[in-house]
Amino acid sequence: MNILRFITAGSVDDGKSTLIGRLLYDSKAVSHDILHTLERQSRNKPDGELDLSLLTDGLRAEREQGITIDVAYKYFNTPRRKFIIADAPGHVQYTRNMVTGASNADLAIILIDARHGVVEQTHRHSLVASLMGIPHIVVAVNKMDLVGYEEEAFYRIAADYQKLAQKLDLQEVLFIPISAYVGDNVVSRSQNTTWYEGPTLLEHLETVELSHDLPEDEARFQVQYVIRPRMEELHDYRAYAGAIRSGFFKKGDRVRVLPAGIETTIKAIEVHQQEVEEAFAPQPVVLHLEDDIDISRGDSIVRLEDAQPAVSQDIELGICWMSERPLQVGDRYLLRHNAATVKAIVREIRHRTDVHTFEQQPAEQLKLNDIAQVRLRTAQPLVFDAYKKNRATGGLILINANTFDTVAAGMLHAPDSLSFRRNLSTSREQTTSGQILTG
């Protein structure tokens, strides 16, 4: 049974928590003890109805403040699929939390209040969904009961969102009229929207086809740990542990070690200490190579027959700035790209994106929750793919070197061809035959 990871997003009071509660409750994913607690907590409600939003309030502070202050993850399953839900806060100041929740989501549910239509947060959350490369978007037009289940209201909002989706190049968008509070078209089909012929939300979640954007023909492995026991019984043992980021590797594959650019052959593959003929993403594996090469944590191994990743110290990326302290040209950070950590300096803020109009505006600095394009220079070559091509090797974070706080999430662009050739050439010049160890 495969897993669908999805995120809910929308403005404050659009009904995200109630929607998730409705999904859990109507799909019978709530245990008896939690249901008993929910009934007890809902006793004081005037209408006596269960407050399903309480099912997602995992933090005491959320209940006290009446807001969601972090990304809350919930898990449930139906006979057809397992689900992991990321519930991102609706406030503008918590856009960074949505970035966190969206980083590995397969699908985003954008909630829109049927009474208010497309608003600023709809723009902001859709921009983040586009930036993060989420392949499937569901626009859930909520609170249809409060507009009399009007077909015109639903299609007017759908038309408005389509214009937005075209600007952001969102490829797959499905519109569903729902009422999370009443339960219309969430798990059960509503008799109040007989004009709607599409799937319920749960039907779509159970059947949407997952691509995971991991190209099977482009194998990527990054070294997390070099294994050299130096024990009497394992005197010559040398292997490289890490996760296959995308694609697959087979015993006997010709591979290239980057950024050094040295070619060799996979001698053996271990999965759970058992030798196997081949392994796939996202399996953690141990690779053995024919040649003893100077390989360090963060180096990449790619298959020779595949399209090659970029190798560059000059990178351009889209970022969501997540720190109270502004970003400025000349600032220095630690850049973490999966297992690789390198120093980086901000060379240029190319432009900031206006979330209302999506226009590109000049900027001298970035403030909390700004979304922008920047250029960085790294202390060592980075091995990567463009985020749009491979999410597993195209994403990174920036870290404040003094506080070790994560200050930005970044999505790498493909380098321009001149810069790529210059950096790859420099990398190869730095690599000599002496880097192949002879014993």
Side-chain angles (χ1 to χ4, degrees), residues 127 131 316-321 327 329 346-355 358-367 370-375 413:
L127 177 59
L131 191 68
E316 182 174 336
L317 62 158
I319 69 169
C320 178
W321 188 243
L327 173 145
V329 173
V346 180
R347 282 293 177 84
E348 179 186 1
I349 301 173
R350 298 206 64 194
H351 57 77
R352 172 184 168 279
T353 301
D354 185 307
V355 297
F358 305 129
E359 290 180 349
Q360 299 174 357
Q361 302 173 333
E364 295 185 356
Q365 64 177 21
L366 299 182
K367 299 178 182 177
D370 273 349
I371 294 170
Q373 303 293 317
V374 301
R375 284 183 183 274
H413 296 180

Side-chain angles (χ1 to χ4, degrees), residues 218-397:
E218 295 182 3
R220 304 287 189 255
F221 172 88
Q222 194 182 47
V223 177
Q224 289 179 292
Y225 188 69
V226 179
I227 304 175
R228 295 195 66 188
R230 300 179 187 276
M231 300 166 62
E232 180 105 14
E233 58 272 27
L234 295 170
H235 181 74
D236 296 324
Y237 190 98
R238 180 194 289 264
Y240 309 97
I244 297 179
R245 298 292 173 184
S246 63
F248 64 93
F249 288 90
K250 293 186 296 185
K251 182 179 177 181
D253 275 343
R254 287 290 293 169
V255 295
R256 175 175 288 138
V257 180
L258 295 170
I262 300 171
E263 298 175 10
T264 183
T265 301
I266 292 180
K267 185 169 66 177
I269 301 173
E270 293 180 43
V271 176
H272 302 307
Q273 299 184 320
Q274 299 292 322
E275 189 166 333
V276 298
E277 289 297 313
E278 61 183 359
F280 303 82
Q283 285 182 306
V285 300
V286 174
L287 297 184
H288 297 253
L289 305 179
E290 290 285 359
D291 301 293
D292 290 338
I293 300 171
D294 185 10
I295 296 178
S296 303
R297 175 182 170 89
D299 287 352
S300 294
I301 297 175
V302 304
R303 208 166 48 181
L304 266 182
E305 66 184 65
D306 295 340
Q308 298 297 288
V311 182
S312 181
Q313 289 180 258
D314 294 301
I315 58 175
E316 182 174 336
L317 62 158
I319 69 169
C320 178
W321 188 243
M322 303 162 72
S323 172
E324 301 281 353
R325 182 182 181 278
L327 173 145
Q328 301 181 86
V329 173
D331 285 350
R332 298 171 186 270
Y333 298 98
L334 294 178
L335 184 158
R336 182 163 296 166
H337 178 245
N338 293 322
T341 301
V342 299
K343 295 179 180 177
I345 183 171
V346 180
R347 282 293 177 84
E348 179 186 1
I349 301 173
R350 298 206 64 194
H351 57 77
R352 172 184 168 279
T353 301
D354 185 307
V355 297
H356 300 281
T357 63
F358 305 129
E359 290 180 349
Q360 299 174 357
Q361 302 173 333
E364 295 185 356
Q365 64 177 21
L366 299 182
K367 299 178 182 177
L368 178 65
N369 292 321
D370 273 349
I371 294 170
Q373 303 293 317
V374 301
R375 284 183 183 274
L376 304 180
R377 172 81 174 175
T378 59
Q380 298 169 0
L382 208 64
V383 181
F384 64 95
D385 295 285
Y387 186 82
K388 285 189 175 181
K389 185 178 180 184
N390 191 332
R391 294 174 75 186
T393 59
L396 57 82
I397 59 172

Side-chain angles (χ1 to χ4, degrees), residues 22-23 26-27 183-189 200-203:
R22 176 62 65 183
L23 265 176
D26 284 4
S27 61
D184 293 305
N185 294 328
V186 178
V187 172
S188 305
R189 185 167 298 278
T200 67
L201 180 60
L202 183 61
E203 287 171 349

